[in-house]
Amino acid sequence: MLQTSIADTPSLGADLRALRKTRSVTLAELAARLGRSVGWLSQVERGLSQPSESDLLEMAEALGVSLSLLKGEAQPPEREAGHIVRRAARRPIGKGIAGLAEDLLSPDLTDDFEMVHSTFAPGAAAPAPITRPTQEVAYMVSGQLDLTIGGREFTVGAGDSFRIRGEAQAWRNPYDQPAVAIWVIAPPVY
């Protein structure tokens, strides 16, 4: 798989804008966090200016996302851009939780939702419950997962689905097989 340059990531500006808005951060607030001008940040969001690698790292940290989400992986053919995400071109996302691998299935973060592919390794567990201002629905592709949603405990397996509406959530996979889930999350949080 070829690594692309920052300039080859066509949705970078739109993704930055979507992430910033989802987190209720203004252009001025993010620019201040980055030590940059509002004008420069606005140009980046509109695709008129390209941030450096260190700028991208600071943006990722300020928005609480992984650098890989902003960098992109492989440039899709022009006719597929914004529509098709090939398996080899998925962008890894997530917060670096041990035992959890997540990929963005959506072409970018400009929709009202995002689709995520998650693989939970055997023995892995969320370090602590989290609460996000989202609505999430997941479909279990394979394996089993123990969930805590809003203080209630569940075990879900292949073919099951579940919903979380802004409730405290935690997960663990005490089983011998990886668990794989496909999520739809609104609004996008990665």
Side-chain angles (χ1 to χ4, degrees):
M1 173 170 34
L2 295 173
Q3 191 74 9
T4 61
S5 73
I6 295 164
D8 290 336
T9 309
S11 67
L12 174 63
D15 286 350
L16 281 172
R17 182 180 308 109
L19 287 166
R20 180 179 57 75
K21 288 184 173 187
T22 296
R23 286 153 174 74
S24 300
V25 175
T26 67
L27 267 171
E29 290 168 341
L30 184 55
R33 289 181 198 174
L34 300 172
R36 297 296 222 133
S37 72
V38 171
W40 175 81
L41 185 56
S42 175
Q43 287 184 342
V44 170
E45 285 190 358
R46 292 180 289 138
L48 302 175
S49 182
Q50 294 300 323
S52 69
E53 184 83 19
S54 62
D55 290 330
L56 270 184
L57 181 58
E58 289 180 30
M59 289 176 187
E61 289 174 359
L63 295 170
V65 298
S66 67
L67 179 60
S68 62
L69 176 63
L70 298 181
K71 289 179 68 172
E73 289 298 316
Q75 177 71 20
E78 185 176 332
R79 65 185 280 292
E80 292 183 356
H83 299 284
I84 307 296
V85 178
R86 300 290 178 186
R87 181 182 191 129
R90 290 181 192 161
R91 291 191 276 174
I93 58 174
K95 306 267 195 281
I97 297 172
L100 175 60
E102 296 181 290
D103 292 326
L104 184 65
L105 296 177
S106 302
D108 53 44
L109 298 174
T110 60
D111 293 314
D112 294 333
F113 63 90
E114 64 191 353
M115 286 189 64
V116 176
H117 180 277
S118 300
T119 302
F120 304 85
I130 62 164
T131 303
R132 328 190 255 218
T134 58
Q135 292 187 44
E136 307 177 32
V137 176
Y139 171 77
M140 294 296 297
V141 176
S142 62
Q144 284 184 266
L145 202 57
D146 290 349
L147 302 171
T148 304
I149 303 172
R152 292 185 288 174
E153 295 188 11
F154 306 93
T155 298
V156 292
D160 295 339
S161 58
F162 57 92
R163 177 175 58 199
I164 303 167
R165 291 182 176 163
E167 301 158 287
Q169 58 177 295
W171 57 268
R172 69 183 182 283
N173 180 2
Y175 307 102
D176 293 335
Q177 299 296 317
V180 176
I182 304 292
W183 300 76
V184 175
I185 303 170
V189 291
Y190 289 103

